[in-house]
Amino acid sequence: MLLAISCVFNYGTYAQLEKVEPPFWWAGMEKSEIQVMFYGTNIADFSVSVQEEILVTGVVKTENPNYIFVSIETQNVAAGTIHFQFKKKGKLQFTREYELKERAENSADRKGYTSSDVIYLLMPDRFANGDPNNDSVKGLEDKLDRSKSGGRHGGDITGIIDHLDYLEELGVTAIWSTPLLEDNDPAYSYHTYAQSDVYKIDPRYGSNVDYKNLASELHKRDMKLIMDYVTNHWGAQHWMIKDLPSYNWINQFPGYEQSNYRMETQFDPHKSDSDFKYCVDGWFVKTMPDLNQKNPLVLNYLIQNAIWWIEYADLDGLRVDTYSYNDKEGIATWTKAIMDEYSDFNIVGEVWLHNQAQIAYWQKDSKIGAIQNYNTYLPSVMDFTLHNAVEHMFAEGGGWGSGIMKAYDNFVNDFLYPNPDNLLVFLENHDTRRFNDIYDKNLSAYKLGLTLIATTRGIPQLYYGSEIGMRGDKSKGDGAIRQEFPGGWEADAQNAFSASGRTVQQKAFFDFTKKVLNWRKSSKAVHTGELTQYIPENNVYVYFRSLGADKVMVVLNNNEADQTLDLARFAADLKTTNGTDIITSQNITLNKTLTVAAKTPLIIQLN
Ligand code: CA
């Protein structure tokens, strides 16, 4: 006992040791061999061992003596404290305790988000400011400046938690917040994709504990939390970028060259090597050095970091930024490691491509990927072709390939996807022009668009503020599509979070959204039922979702005039003459014909 106390006294703290990552791990993980990184001036001068009988499977030193990576095998090791011993010439210099925590119950069985969910994408800096005391923080350069569209506006995790009742009422079941980890860029840090410490929530959003609380508050409401994860790059201000473990930790030319953003080169059989290199190894922007996932130390660091957050914060899923810019083999290994740890989990990758073959390439078990012997293990991808279509089709007449035909055509190509139910479907996101800006805040267009993404196959994703008609034109800069939610700031003139605070127009947008999404929660036919679509005629699109006897009929009249449909055409799917309009709750008689008002959607639960 005395000896133990004396050890703590002498060696418990060691000024040279600045960082240990991951800061702790858990007993009983699938990823039981972990690589602990120690950082401190000339830390590599020490030899490292473990006091307990735990297998040290490897010690890696890089050309920078400030790093040492020690791998240990924790399989069958009980939760408790491990002691790393740092020695010189065989003599113990100091000891560092390392905790192997007890896992939460059923942690490995966590369910990811699915097509039964509706995801609400928000930017935390712009959603709600729940804690004005953290708007500017000492040590972080970018200070509060709401007058700048690219400045920090003060929103935070408390602001999100404060409005969970609002989101629950709206009917969304999951939140995807854009990144919350520390980003110490001197400007534009509000988007937080240039991270400077990936084990720490940015103090301007709150703390790691606050983030964990956000997940727990969501779970109390049967809602889910999706983390926006960045594997492709870190910020130039990242502490490791400023003291690189090795030259090849990042992709260098030397130093910076910009990506050509030509993701086609990931599969083009005719690509030139230099085009491919510039796509994958080029930096997304100058302030975001491109991580080298071919370096096993980097890849392992990213795998451990992602699993650490899922386990620590009790996450329900990930969204991966710039998925298709990563080293292909590296990102597949990363994805598989996470899915091996949590087999029912979900991860959606941002694969911003413009044809279905190229998007489908990135989904798990893709036959298209298999042509090139490639499998990402990525469960979910984003339906960017549908997004491209919705930007135009509600303003177009019904020609051979125009108007609502574009929706039909999009789903025809579902034969390319291994799992169409696991596609994210969306009208817009934080990188695109807002839907309500394209359609000039036209409620009819919004109703058609929302109905489409809420009732077709896949996982609907909304973007904050669209449910009250917010608009934003990307050609005026990113700030225009990332404006503050009205009511999120103490002195706001208007509060659209409360029913009484909404304008008549905001109320119309909100009420429709709330109605559709809350109905959707219990519609199993829409979650996983078969989608049967009929070729649009006169710019009217009819499709059915069927799960056994549970059937939903959807009609999107994209025509400028009322349309009367001859129902005989749909006889194979329409075996009843009774249905319920889920918006009005009125009965609908489906006898021979059905008239649908101009520019109007109908969702009919068939009886
Ligand atoms: Ca704040």
Side-chain angles (χ1 to χ4, degrees):
M1 186 63 179
L2 260 179
L3 185 70
I5 290 167
S6 121
C7 279
V8 171
F9 183 74
N10 287 328
Y11 313 118
T13 54
Y14 183 69
Q16 253 173 275
L17 190 58
E18 291 177 40
K19 298 249 187 199
V20 179
E21 292 180 348
F24 49 83
W25 202 247
W26 295 265
M29 297 291 283
E30 176 73 26
K31 185 158 178 57
S32 57
E33 186 188 21
I34 50 160
Q35 190 165 47
V36 184
M37 186 190 76
F38 297 96
Y39 174 73
T41 306
N42 292 322
I43 198 77
D45 289 353
F46 295 88
S47 64
V48 187
S49 55
V50 179
Q51 185 180 311
E52 291 76 13
E53 282 192 15
I54 289 172
L55 193 63
V56 176
T57 51
V59 176
V60 179
K61 297 179 182 182
T62 60
E63 68 243 32
N64 183 339
N66 298 337
Y67 292 87
I68 188 162
F69 298 80
V70 182
S71 296
I72 55 170
E73 179 52 75
T74 67
Q75 200 174 25
N76 302 323
V77 176
T81 305
I82 295 169
H83 298 83
F84 282 101
Q85 299 181 320
F86 289 75
K87 294 177 184 167
K88 267 184 184 169
K89 290 178 185 163
K91 245 182 104 180
L92 182 66
Q93 303 295 310
F94 70 98
T95 301
R96 174 59 155 81
E97 292 188 351
Y98 193 81
E99 204 182 345
L100 209 54
K101 289 179 184 277
E102 200 87 56
R103 292 187 82 176
E105 211 181 330
N106 302 325
S107 184
D109 305 327
R110 66 187 62 242
K111 304 276 178 280
Y113 52 94
T114 68
S115 50
S116 65
D117 286 303
V118 174
I119 298 171
Y120 190 83
L121 162 61
L122 60 83
M123 295 202 86
D125 184 61
R126 305 299 166 85
F127 186 62
N129 188 1
D131 180 5
N133 295 320
N134 63 12
D135 292 356
S136 297
V137 168
K138 209 177 156 197
L140 294 173
E141 281 200 54
D142 207 1
K143 308 292 184 195
L144 183 79
D145 188 349
R146 289 173 68 193
S147 69
K148 283 192 193 138
S149 68
R152 294 206 74 106
H153 288 213
D156 47 43
I157 292 172
T158 304
I160 303 171
I161 293 174
D162 287 348
H163 296 98
L164 292 184
D165 289 344
Y166 166 83
L167 295 175
E168 189 179 15
E169 184 196 349
L170 179 64
V172 297
T173 63
I175 290 179
W176 154 21
S177 166
T178 53
L180 290 152
L181 302 180
E182 186 194 271
D183 179 335
N184 197 16
D185 264 12
Y188 299 100
S189 69
Y190 79 95
H191 64 61
T192 319
Y193 284 99
Q195 292 161 358
S196 50
D197 185 338
V198 296
Y199 275 101
K200 185 178 165 196
I201 293 290
D202 194 301
R204 290 162 295 191
Y205 294 132
S207 65
N208 287 10
V209 171
D210 290 333
Y211 188 54
K212 206 175 152 83
N213 285 343
L214 172 61
S216 138
E217 288 299 322
L218 281 160
H219 295 159
K220 281 181 197 165
R221 292 168 168 82
D222 230 354
M223 294 166 75
K224 298 172 182 175
L225 182 60
I226 300 167
M227 186 185 207
D228 196 333
Y229 196 90
V230 195
T231 52
N232 185 62
H233 48 261
W234 285 344
Q237 302 306 315
H238 193 289
W239 66 272
M240 286 174 80
I241 299 289
K242 292 204 263 190
D243 189 22
L244 282 172
S246 58
Y247 180 84
N248 68 358
W249 190 265
I250 54 175
N251 291 309
Q252 305 212 43
F253 287 77
Y256 157 78
E257 287 286 345
Q258 189 150 306
S259 174
N260 55 22
Y261 307 114
R262 293 291 182 182
M263 290 168 279
E264 302 91 307
T265 58
Q266 290 272 26
F267 25 69
D268 175 8
H270 312 295
K271 67 179 179 285
S272 73
D273 290 346
S274 70
D275 284 348
F276 177 55
K277 184 175 169 51
Y278 270 82
C279 168
V280 179
D281 293 351
W283 298 12
F284 200 73
V285 290
K286 199 173 184 177
T287 53
M288 297 176 183
D290 196 70
L291 290 165
N292 176 15
Q293 300 89 13
K294 286 192 277 294
N295 179 333
L297 290 175
V298 174
L299 187 59
N300 211 17
Y301 185 97
L302 295 171
I303 289 169
Q304 292 181 169
N305 180 253
I307 292 175
W308 189 88
W309 278 109
I310 295 164
E311 193 73 18
Y312 169 78
D314 198 11
L315 301 174
D316 304 288
L318 298 179
R319 174 265 182 185
V320 182
D321 186 59
T322 47
Y323 191 90
S324 38
Y325 288 92
N326 287 279
D327 172 69
K328 257 162 82 171
E329 299 309 326
I331 197 63
T333 303
W334 180 88
T335 310
K336 186 174 184 301
I338 295 166
M339 295 308 296
D340 283 350
E341 192 76 52
Y342 309 103
S343 54
D344 291 335
F345 201 61
N346 203 5
I347 307 175
V348 62
E350 182 196 28
V351 286
W352 197 341
L353 292 149
H354 301 285
N355 81 57
Q356 285 96 343
Q358 294 185 8
I359 298 171
Y361 184 89
W362 297 95
Q363 193 175 33
K364 184 189 178 215
D365 296 335
S366 166
K367 290 207 165 80
I368 297 166
I371 295 169
Q372 298 183 341
N373 297 316
Y374 183 59
N375 191 351
T376 57
Y377 302 95
L378 176 71
S380 175
V381 291
M382 297 182 177
D383 196 344
F384 270 102
T385 53
L386 181 66
H387 167 258
N388 292 345
V390 297
E391 285 196 315
H392 303 282
M393 66 189 183
F394 299 117
E396 292 175 352
W400 179 258
S402 67
I404 205 73
M405 194 68 196
K406 287 181 172 166
Y408 174 90
D409 275 341
N410 188 72
F411 303 123
V412 166
N413 286 324
D414 276 0
F415 75 94
L416 295 165
Y417 290 109
N419 185 0
D421 284 340
N422 212 350
L423 259 74
L424 216 67
V425 287
F426 54 101
L427 301 176
E428 66 215 322
N429 65 28
H430 60 302
D431 287 321
T432 71
R433 189 175 172 191
R434 279 185 180 268
F435 184 88
N436 290 320
D437 197 76
I438 295 168
Y439 292 104
D440 200 20
K441 220 168 171 173
N442 181 300
L443 181 62
S444 297
Y446 177 76
K447 286 182 174 179
L448 287 165
L450 184 83
T451 300
L452 176 63
I453 63 164
T455 60
T456 189
R457 91 289 186 263
I459 310 166
Q461 171 247 294
L462 273 63
Y463 182 45
Y464 82 97
S466 288
E467 76 276 17
I468 52 159
M470 273 172 73
R471 51 194 300 168
D473 182 355
K474 188 174 164 83
S475 71
K476 295 184 177 130
D478 283 340
I481 57 172
R482 301 167 179 177
Q483 294 177 54
E484 293 172 5
F485 192 102
W489 279 253
E490 190 74 46
D492 280 358
Q494 200 229 336
N495 181 8
F497 283 119
S498 81
S500 59
R502 278 168 219 140
T503 65
V504 172
Q505 194 183 37
Q506 286 171 340
K507 184 179 183 312
F509 277 82
F510 181 88
D511 289 351
F512 183 81
T513 313
K514 175 181 166 178
K515 188 82 197 179
V516 172
L517 299 190
N518 279 283
W519 163 79
R520 191 188 187 280
K521 282 180 184 171
S522 58
S523 177
K524 293 206 162 43
V526 165
H527 300 165
T528 55
E530 194 179 330
L531 167 65
T532 306
Q533 58 175 355
Y534 287 79
I535 299 165
E537 289 179 355
N538 303 322
N539 218 0
V540 181
Y541 179 35
V542 176
Y543 56 94
F544 294 82
R545 300 299 308 275
S546 318
L547 189 71
D550 185 6
K551 262 185 186 284
V552 175
M553 177 183 187
V554 182
V555 184
L556 301 178
N557 180 6
N558 192 36
N559 199 303
E560 297 286 353
D562 296 358
Q563 294 292 305
T564 297
L565 312 179
D566 179 353
L567 294 177
R569 197 180 156 221
F570 314 111
D573 287 284
L574 194 53
K575 296 183 192 309
T576 173
T577 54
N578 272 302
T580 307
D581 178 338
I582 70 98
I583 304 298
T584 62
S585 304
Q586 301 289 307
N587 285 334
I588 290 193
T589 305
L590 299 156
N591 222 344
K592 291 201 170 97
T593 62
L594 175 66
T595 300
V596 188
K599 286 283 172 191
T600 298
L602 264 184
I603 304 173
I604 305 166
Q605 178 71 52
L606 299 178
N607 299 329

